Amino acid sequence: MIIIHSLRFLIGLALLLVLTLPLQAQEARVTTARVEERVIVETIALNGSVTAPRTAQLSSDVEGRITELPMSLGDRVQAGDRLLSIDAEDVALQVRSADADVGEARAALENARRRLREGNRLGEGRNIASSELSQRETDVAIAEAALERRRAARDRLEVRLERHHLRAPFGGRLTHHDVAIGEWATPGTPLLTLIDLEHLTLEFAVPLDLHHRLDQAELEVRLPAGIDDWLPARPIADVPLEDGASRQFLLRAMLDDPPTMLPGMAVQGRLLLRNGSGPAVPRDALIRRPDGSISVWLAREEDGEWRATERRVTPGASHAGRVAIQQGIEADDRVVLRGNERLEEGQRLILDDE
């Protein structure tokens, strides 16, 4: 009897489980979210690179043999640093001679002034002719002119001497060093390349039909080397490209607090264009069907129960994990985010977010 009762209990339990299975299959536990009215942001992906607007190929102003190269390839330099020297022995000797001429002219001027002072004292006692006094004044003027002429000649030689030293026009890094001590330098022939690494810019090729929308756009960039964050960039110029067939223009931008960058580094960019407002849903709410259509599942309350309703939608721009919906749903609708993989029309829902 005990065995018979046990069998009856097990059979009844099995029947109960069989009867309840369809009911359990009709329920689905899901997570939902309210559809929000948001500013619709269209994202335009861009590819760009880091550039150095201040890049100088430096050459010598004078001809001669290179005698000094105090800087090496890759060195950082400051504005005014000496990068290269050319043999200037002859000019240096001429500067010394000019210095001596200036000293001689200065002594002659001092002597002329002394004689004029003496004449002025004698003139007070009527012990010197006025013509002699006038001549001494003329001698002072001639000596002053001679000194000024000698100084100008010396200054010209000093300028020539300074041109034998190639100096950095701005701070940066030497990236090309195609000379050696003992080689002959010729004016106009590039010797060194200097790049300013403190004022690097970002350049992007942008479709020309977006040019009129730049005023309402925001630019964000992402650099390589493990930097995943999108950084706000400041556009500084837009430059038409000479190749009109490309239908693009060059957008130049800067980072206010840039990380380490080098010219030629590839950069990702995105233009954020605002297109009014409308309903937007998290990307997880979208279901892509085999026929190419896109839909969402809505949770609708009917007679105190939540039921699943499928709606085909027309998605628009996406930004920050949300997709704008152009058609199909409205703000305040409740969309299913998780548990929407195998829902059926009218299926009863249990909301985890309730």
Side-chain angles (χ1 to χ4, degrees), residues 253-264:
M254 291 187 65
L255 293 172
D256 290 328
D257 188 18
T260 301
M261 300 188 300
L262 291 174

Side-chain angles (χ1 to χ4, degrees), residues 5 32 57 64 70 86 101 130 155 170 174 213 225 235 241 259 325 343:
H5 284 296
T32 67
Q57 291 186 328
I86 294 175
D101 291 341
S130 59
D155 292 344
F170 52 82
L174 292 175
R213 302 175 64 185
L241 296 178
I325 302 300
L343 293 180

Side-chain angles (χ1 to χ4, degrees), residues 97-301:
S97 177
D99 275 335
D101 291 341
V102 169
E104 182 181 354
R106 186 181 293 113
L109 175 59
E110 289 298 323
N111 185 57
R113 287 174 174 172
R114 178 185 58 77
R115 295 184 70 249
L116 178 59
R117 288 194 297 270
E118 291 177 352
N120 286 332
R121 286 196 298 270
L122 293 174
E124 293 175 358
R126 305 294 181 180
N127 296 321
I128 187 172
S130 59
S131 60
E132 177 63 23
L133 188 59
S134 177
Q135 181 60 48
R136 293 187 182 188
E137 291 174 348
T138 301
D139 291 342
V140 170
I142 293 174
E144 287 176 342
L147 177 59
E148 187 63 27
R149 186 167 55 252
R150 297 293 176 83
R151 283 174 173 168
R154 181 195 59 186
D155 292 344
R156 283 195 298 270
L157 288 170
E158 287 181 342
V159 170
R160 284 181 56 193
L161 181 61
E162 177 58 28
R163 287 178 178 173
H164 284 70
H165 304 292
L166 182 59
R167 299 187 182 276
F170 52 82
R173 177 178 290 180
L174 292 175
T175 61
H176 187 71
H177 196 293
D178 195 23
V179 290
I181 294 177
E183 291 186 350
W184 193 264
T186 303
T189 301
L191 303 174
L192 306 169
T193 300
L194 179 65
I195 293 181
D196 180 4
L197 297 179
E198 299 299 325
H199 302 90
L200 298 176
T201 60
L202 311 174
E203 291 187 353
F204 300 92
V206 183
L208 197 57
D209 57 1
L210 297 179
H211 187 272
H212 69 286
R213 302 175 64 185
L214 283 182
D215 292 341
Q216 292 79 36
E218 296 179 11
L219 176 63
E220 295 180 340
V221 300
R222 184 164 60 186
L223 302 174
I227 302 176
D228 295 329
D229 295 336
W230 286 94
L231 306 174
R234 177 166 46 89
I236 57 174
D238 55 275
V239 184
L241 296 178
E242 295 181 1
D243 181 12
S246 67
R247 299 292 188 269
Q248 292 179 325
F249 67 94
L250 191 66
L251 179 62
R252 184 169 292 164
M254 291 187 65
L255 293 172
D256 290 328
D257 188 18
T260 301
M261 300 188 300
L262 291 174
M265 182 181 291
V267 182
Q268 289 180 295
R270 62 184 183 186
L271 275 178
L272 306 180
L273 305 172
R274 301 183 183 278
N275 293 322
S277 61
V281 300
R283 189 175 285 109
D284 291 341
L286 300 181
I287 303 294
R288 299 185 180 274
R289 299 301 183 188
D291 61 359
S293 64
I294 298 177
S295 63
V296 298
W297 283 100
L298 300 181
R300 292 288 180 85
E301 192 172 14

